[in-house]
Amino acid sequence: MSDCRVGVAILGATGSIGKSTIDVISRNSDKYKITAVTANRNVNGILELCRQFKPHVAAMADEFAAKQLQQQINSEGLNCEVVCGVNGQVKAATLPQNDTVVAAIVGGAGLIPAYEAVKVGKKILLANKEALVMTGELFMSEAHRSGAQVLPVDSEHNAVFQSLSSVAKGKNVTEIDDKGVKRIILTASGGPFYNREDADFSKITPEEAVAHPNWSMGSKISVDSATMMNKGLEVIEAGWLFDLPASKIDVVIHPQSIVHSMVEYIDGSVVAQLGNPDMRTPIAHALAWPQRVDAGVESLDFCKMTELQFFEPDNSRFPCLGLAYRAMKNGGSMPTVLNAANEIAVAAFLQRGIRFDQIATVVSGAMNSMEQSHPDSIDDVLRVDSDARSYAKLLVENGC
Ligand code: NAD
Ligand code: MG
């Protein structure tokens, strides 16, 4: 009997989004099968997935890790091709057996595999927001050309997607034409420090910064949430996904993380998507769209919800959000510079090389000093990215 299940490649399968995706697929194994898995260097994590799901390909970014994985695969007699490096990630992303590709690698490292999957017209479930921040214009125009569906997994964008009337007509994000949209409103939890007016931002430790109050996520996005750069990256991501200018994308702080985002129409209607803060909801939505599948997520108990609060963002305590709006308005290479400098600064903070408040200093330093350009190819983008990373490293080494 032929296997009619949808083939899903998971890029970044050992991470937080990767694991949530595997959970959703496991609950719906009559509909989905895993065709490829990738990771940076977590050999045991990938090996376990190979044993359990028998993907065709497993890719490690790291060559040494790939060798270790290959030995284990051989000794256990598993039938899985092991590949490595960026080419390996691309091979896993573009496999003929993949119908859907979950782009869940963290940071700029996810760009090339996701972009190559777009080029060959796969259905992309996009978690890797940095790819779109770096190269939104090229990414989305390539999706239009190839016919690749790009469906947002980021909870806010998935909520906006669900709140758009065109989605009810079965239109994917590359075909959206909701003319009556006045603005979209992205909600932000505010992260662990929003309500701690007394917090001394120069003394925050990595452990405090990664302890998000509502969501369990990888360390980079957790720090981004604490600085609110995450919301800034999401504003840029939303601009590309929904073809909206910065002036039509607002942010409100909503500490309970129940309303995941909203669309306001010109007739005054506001349509929102609500749910418990659990990434399995947007993953399941994007996976099954336009159908629905079980995600294992608890029902919302409205009677236990005491209050839903909404506040204006505090731009002076959280300058990263303003930096992202500035990068978006400037356009061209600026969002790439913002993202690259932020990745370097967050990594330095996590290694205790700079203070929490210096993350914004590094990002604004790079944005102020790097010359604005207008990349019109992925190679151009990668050059800007690499230059901005080198500059940000210098700032870090020189105490910002
Ligand atoms: P994570 O750190 O938990 O996992 C990252 C994954 O990427 C791991 O599997 C890791 O092995 C892999 N990886 C890292 N570097 C790599 C490289 N150079 N080459 C190949 N693979 C590499 O991160 P996460 O929290 O799952 O986030 C993944 C992406 O999804 C990020 O872009 C993040 O912004 C986005 N996102 C995450 C959440 C969330 O709740 N975690 C929500 C929305 C969006
Ligand atoms: Mg988000």
Side-chain angles (χ1 to χ4, degrees):
M1 226 172 63
S2 73
D3 186 351
C4 307
R5 293 178 300 167
V6 173
V8 184
I10 309 176
L11 316 180
T14 56
S16 167
I17 293 288
K19 286 180 184 156
S20 294
T21 305
I22 287 158
D23 184 275
V24 174
I25 290 180
S26 301
R27 289 167 191 278
N28 297 280
S29 56
D30 56 325
K31 298 188 179 74
Y32 306 101
K33 63 183 172 201
I34 297 176
T35 44
V37 288
T38 86
N40 190 10
R41 51 172 83 96
N42 182 349
V43 175
N44 287 337
I46 290 290
L47 181 63
E48 191 45 46
L49 295 176
C50 291
R51 288 181 187 133
Q52 227 183 315
F53 297 100
K54 316 264 180 306
H56 301 280
V57 168
M60 306 301 300
D62 185 84
E63 199 174 332
F64 181 67
K67 279 195 185 129
Q68 286 182 311
L69 179 65
Q70 184 73 67
Q71 277 171 3
Q72 286 294 333
I73 295 276
N74 293 348
S75 74
E76 296 187 25
L78 294 169
N79 186 14
C80 177
E81 187 184 352
V82 177
V83 289
C84 80
V86 177
N87 291 343
Q89 304 284 325
V90 169
K91 172 151 195 180
T94 55
L95 221 55
Q97 291 91 337
N98 303 343
D99 301 298
T100 296
V101 176
V102 180
I105 293 174
V106 59
L111 170 62
I112 297 297
Y115 186 71
E116 293 297 321
V118 167
K119 265 167 84 175
V120 295
K122 302 290 185 192
K123 173 173 167 178
I124 312 292
L125 269 51
L126 189 75
N128 178 214
K129 64 194 81 181
E130 295 92 344
L132 220 46
V133 171
M134 289 169 75
T135 174
E137 192 168 359
L138 295 166
F139 198 96
M140 294 310 288
S141 64
E142 194 53 39
H144 277 293
R145 188 202 60 76
S146 71
Q149 285 182 346
V150 180
L151 300 179
V153 162
D154 213 347
S155 56
E156 297 76 3
H157 307 73
N158 186 270
V160 168
F161 185 54
Q162 293 200 44
S163 304
L164 289 168
S165 61
S166 55
V167 172
K169 296 177 201 136
K171 291 196 172 173
N172 85 56
V173 81
T174 53
E175 298 168 321
I176 281 172
D177 57 359
D178 278 45
K179 296 273 188 291
V181 172
K182 186 169 180 187
R183 61 176 178 147
I184 62 172
I185 304 150
L186 303 182
T187 53
S189 69
F193 309 122
Y194 199 81
N195 284 328
R196 283 183 37 198
E197 304 267 330
D198 57 335
D200 180 346
F201 280 17
S202 68
K203 296 208 169 73
I204 285 169
T205 63
E207 291 74 19
E208 290 172 306
V210 298
H212 196 278
N214 306 339
W215 298 94
S216 155
M217 310 182 285
S219 55
K220 192 262 177 182
I221 184 177
S222 297
V223 175
D224 284 347
S225 299
T227 60
M228 288 202 62
M229 179 59 92
N230 182 50
K231 210 50 53 183
L233 299 177
E234 290 184 354
V235 167
I236 301 172
E237 179 187 13
W240 290 120
L241 280 172
F242 307 117
D243 194 19
L244 290 171
S247 58
K248 287 192 170 186
I249 307 172
D250 288 340
V251 170
V252 291
I253 305 293
H254 167 47
Q256 291 79 17
S257 298
I258 296 292
V259 176
H260 296 304
S261 280
M262 306 171 250
V263 176
E264 181 178 338
Y265 291 90
I266 47 176
D267 60 6
S269 302
V270 178
V271 182
Q273 185 257 353
L274 282 69
N276 276 314
D278 187 324
M279 288 308 292
R280 290 176 300 175
T281 294
I283 292 167
H285 175 264
L287 200 57
W289 182 85
Q291 264 87 47
R292 299 263 176 182
V293 291
D294 171 36
V297 176
E298 258 185 65
S299 288
L300 262 188
D301 186 341
F302 283 90
C303 300
K304 282 200 182 129
M305 243 188 276
T306 46
E307 54 185 355
L308 295 179
Q309 298 167 302
F310 300 93
F311 308 107
E312 228 176 280
D314 180 340
N315 289 317
S316 60
R317 284 172 75 226
F318 296 91
C320 287
L321 180 59
L323 290 173
Y325 268 109
R326 193 180 115 199
M328 182 176 182
K329 285 175 190 157
N330 284 3
S333 56
M334 211 43 97
T336 313
V337 171
L338 169 101
N339 179 67
N342 182 58
E343 284 194 36
I344 295 298
V346 171
F349 166 69
L350 286 170
Q351 288 157 15
R352 296 172 213 277
I354 60 169
R355 299 189 313 262
F356 181 78
D357 57 308
Q358 288 178 315
I359 295 174
T361 316
V362 171
V363 176
S364 64
M367 285 173 66
N368 292 340
S369 304
M370 304 273 313
E371 213 172 296
Q372 170 99 358
S373 63
H374 292 275
D376 55 13
S377 70
I378 290 289
D379 285 344
D380 277 356
V381 170
L382 293 178
R383 258 191 298 278
V384 171
D385 176 70
S386 162
D387 291 349
R389 280 169 199 265
S390 304
Y391 189 80
K393 276 183 192 155
L394 274 181
L395 292 176
V396 165
E397 280 158 20
N398 295 324
C400 308

